[in-house]
Amino acid sequence: MFYSVQIQAFRDLIGQTGVVDDPERIATYTTDQRQLFTGSTFAVLKPATTGQVADIVKLAARLGIGLVPQGGNTSYCGGATPDATGSQIVVSLERMNRIREIDPVSMTASVDAGAILKSVQDAAAAAGLLLPLSLGAEGSCRIGGNIGTNAGGLSVVKYGMTRDLILGVEAVLSDGTVVSDMRKLRKNNTGYDVKQCFVGSEGTLGIVTGAVLRLAPFPVRRATAWLKLAAGTPLAELLALVRRQSADLLTTFEFMTATSIALATDAMINPPSVGAGPGGAVLVELASSSDHLDLDGLMEAVLAEAVESGWVDDAYLAQSGSQRAAMWEVRESIPEGEKRRNGSVKHDISVPLSAIQRFLGLAGSTVRNYAADLELSVYGHVGDGNLHYNVLVPSGVDRIEFGREIERSLSLQLYDIAASLEGTFSAEHGVGRFKRHLLEKYGDAGRLAAMRRIKTAFDPSNLLNAGAVVYPLEPSSIR
Ligand code: FAD
Ligand code: 2HG
Ligand code: ZN
């Protein structure tokens, strides 16, 4: 076999169990989770320690083999998938899944990068604490992948993105140097904030092997409501009302259109009878770690004012844990609902909150002009100015072909609108391999130059996830 010498060299380094070269087992690591692209690799490496990751990087650098770090392979932009050349090797962190420490006093979780998000949430909860990162893929995505994509999700409006939750990091650089900065400090102004370089860099600057995450007090009270919106409800104003009148106890403000809700409920076994008003619906949640607060009473007062304002036609407060869970299940089933209906072409846009209504208006007329019969599934984390503005693939149509056609035409018009409103073509899903051309098109020239310099400084040989996010500097321009 062409790469047998290399495979043996990696086996000698990290042992038999750490190297997978059986094509059948490799296959799950080479296709992205949306099944848009299948790359190729001759082996998947599964290190068990940070030392082994460092050894892998050093050997790969010597052999000139590119490395693609992978966590749960749930990301949306093809960043965890090797390219088609067959010369990159996947480094899966899945065996490095230890929760190293939950420190209830410092309120931190120190974990291996391969720990599954849900298992870290559970370990924190067992100590009465909350890891406030929550997303539909939490049962399979891993902390290193969350850091790689700077994952957002369902409670960003209160707690921020992964970037806001990371206190310390351990990572291996492209020459095998280990950055060991697993400190729990909130304050540490000692020069460049190196850990933040790894956040959102999608495996192009280093392989993260560990992280210290910030925890919060566990919310013992939650009030969850489903709001049916009147036609033309100004979402940002409604959000401001809820934040103000709930004393900013808001943790979730998720918008959904009627189509998205129908897709989700179609995919559920026991769907609740929730629906949308003419302006869609919003899932709102308030949370408190204090059991002295009457959160339901507060929510009822907020809802009454929202109805009074004329922006909300109807509102329901979940009366039990199972009603709350059902409301959440609707929201979280939308991606699965889209998948079952032949998929969607995804647009993970964000604009300033002040421009969200304008985006919806302009994008809506753009889609209608493009093709009056196209169906949209529009939903998302409006509390963060982030919409998933997805075009449904018509049934009976080839999903991949349709996606290519839309991405060449309509998608660019939608991204142009987002850009004209000072927004972005990727709010939380990253750039990966699929959106690199969009970064070239929409990225500020100075920012791109800075990114190339950072990439070149961290990884002069372009060993780490080459082909994702950004091209390095031309070799001739490296001094
Ligand atoms: P992977 O897909 O394995 O990798 C992602 C990127 O990080 C790749 O570029 C990879 O090379 C890099 N990487 C992985 N591990 C490391 C490491 N140890 N060191 C350095 N780089 C690394 N995303 C959101 O932001 N918000 C959501 O609400 C959300 N909901 C989702 C719902 C569903 C149903 C699905 C399928 C996905 C959703 N996602 C969401 C996208 C995805 O789950 C996130 O991007 C997640 O953070 C990816 O984690 P992962 O472990 O699967 O990473
Ligand atoms: C979500 O918010 C995820 O559910 C997935 O970010 C979005 O599938 C999508 O478009
Ligand atoms: Zn999302």
Side-chain angles (χ1 to χ4, degrees), residues 224-229 254 256-257 261 264-265 272-277 280-285 299 303 312 314-318 323-324 326-331 334:
T224 311
W226 189 274
L227 281 57
K228 291 185 173 180
L229 305 184
E254 291 287 322
M256 289 157 272
T257 49
I261 295 167
T265 50
S273 59
V274 292
V282 177
L283 175 66
V284 172
E285 191 161 279
M299 179 69 107
L303 295 181
V312 173
D314 220 340
Y316 313 93
L317 179 60
Q323 279 186 10
R324 168 180 305 122
M327 289 179 184
W328 269 105
E329 197 183 341
V330 174
R331 166 59 185 88
I334 300 173

Side-chain angles (χ1 to χ4, degrees), residues 33 69-76 79-80 93 113 135-137 141-142 144-146 148-149 151-153 202-203 206-208 335 381 428-429 465:
Q33 75 86 23
Q70 193 176 100
N73 195 19
T74 68
S75 53
Y76 272 57
L93 277 287
L135 45 143
C141 63
R142 296 174 188 269
N146 301 145
T149 58
E202 300 182 58
I207 303 183
V208 177
H381 323 286
E428 59 172 8
H429 293 162
N465 214 358

